[in-house]
Amino acid sequence: MANSGYSLRLRLETDVRGSCMRCLEDAVIHQAIDAREIDQPGGGEELTSPYVDDHDMLDVAAWARDALVLALPVQLACPDTEACEARQRAMAERGGAGRATDAEEPGGAEPGIDPRWAKLSELKFDES
Ligand SMILES: [Zn+2]
């Protein structure tokens, strides 16, 4: 920037892997990040980046992690919804853990969160 301070932009693309919340298959989400930060000395809270320290060092890792957490969907699920639903039906037919009733719902209604996964939604990311 013309006067002292920084205008920063972070762009990255990454794949996030995990088990699908619905069918438990391996799921990969390709996520693109485009984040901006402004840090201006004496600019007040609005213009102070939490990722730039007093020595003008930028914590790229913390910034990237926070931006990714904000951008990701709340639940990790297969990008291919049709294949996912087919696997859920197959699981139900194999008598998977009382999920059989889900397959009988008309129009593929939104499946509820399996209680075994409910704990996952309570996960918090902290600064430690
Ligand atoms: Zn799935």
Side-chain angles (χ1 to χ4, degrees), residues 20-25 77-78 80 83-85 87-88:
C20 171
M21 297 286 287
R22 295 190 291 248
C23 72
L24 309 185
E25 273 293 305
C78 302
D80 184 347
C84 183
E85 283 173 359
R87 279 192 290 271
Q88 290 176 65

Side-chain angles (χ1 to χ4, degrees), residues 40-100:
Q40 228 172 354
E45 206 171 302
E46 286 277 294
L47 296 176
T48 303
S49 169
Y51 309 116
V52 179
D53 71 11
D54 295 340
H55 307 289
D56 283 356
M57 292 294 288
L58 174 65
D59 189 346
V60 178
W63 186 10
R65 184 198 60 211
D66 288 355
L68 185 60
V69 168
L70 283 174
L72 283 174
V74 178
Q75 297 182 0
L76 185 61
C78 302
D80 184 347
T81 315
E82 259 176 52
C84 183
E85 283 173 359
R87 279 192 290 271
Q88 290 176 65
R89 276 194 296 275
M91 281 172 70
E93 280 161 20
R94 286 198 304 266
R99 298 294 302 275

